[in-house]
Amino acid sequence: LLLLQLPVPIAVFFLLYKERMVPCFGSSSHPLLSADELALETRPTDKDELPSTLQRAQAAAGGHDDLFSCCQSKNFRGASYTYYAVHIAGALVLFMTDGIVGEYSGFIYSYAVEEPLSVVHKVAGYLPSLFWGFITLGRLISIPVSYRMKPATMVFINVVGVLITFLLLLIFSSSVVFLFVGTASLGLFLSSTFPSMLAYTEDILQYKGCATTVLVTGAGIGEMVLQLLVGSIIHDQGSYSFLVCGMIFGGLAFTFYALLLFFHRMYPKPSSDVDEASPDKPAAMDDTGQYQR
């Protein structure tokens, strides 16, 4: 399955290379236009006004035509250590939770057909479908719930629910019925963890793009690495270690979330004015419609 997904990042990298958006390589093709430049290209203007207008648009955009402009060191000057800690803690939570999604959906069938459960292969084949079905159902339910509940509360409920579900799965490890119930429960609790974490960190950081990159990268790496790790452990220690690994990952997710809450309390609250110490602070607009830092 991982090999089937490999052409996608290769194609994206090739597109970035062709558009000269990879800083380490050069290309003869023209780079993609930014939103401001594209609007100016499609709007009829005088020839003399076009160069100066483009320069103002590029200066106002703050270098957003560069894919990695948000990661430049000048954008992080004056940022407190809690700014980085919130990024790292949030990424680690998603590393664990999305890793649980990958390893549970990938190995629940193998766990069910082995002893002591020894579920019939045809019946065990329903477990991954049940898991993904309840993830879809949970995401639908989380839409109206998010209107009445804060993202931090939703993430807390999800992480604690995952931890309790794995604990009950370990206690009732010989029950086929509870395996199906626990699979559905895990799907519900894991369904809204990723979007709720994005919304929660957005409330803290008021970011534009870099924090999203860190969180999505952490989630993707976790989904890849934990599958490989759990597969190796199951091969060496047996099928029962599948639930033990899930319990450990759930405990680590809860621990990292507690650290995120701790750093959130220490993170300076955003003021009404533009805070120069926050690299991801959104730019304000003046009355003329131009962006200002």
Side-chain angles (χ1 to χ4, degrees), residues 192-210:
S192 60
T193 304
F194 184 84
S196 298
M197 178 59 70
L198 287 180
Y200 178 37
T201 51
E202 183 179 9
D203 292 340
I204 301 174
L205 300 172
Q206 298 185 1
Y207 54 72
K208 299 179 200 171
C210 280

Side-chain angles (χ1 to χ4, degrees), residues 1 116 154 184 230:
L1 292 178
M154 293 183 65
V230 172

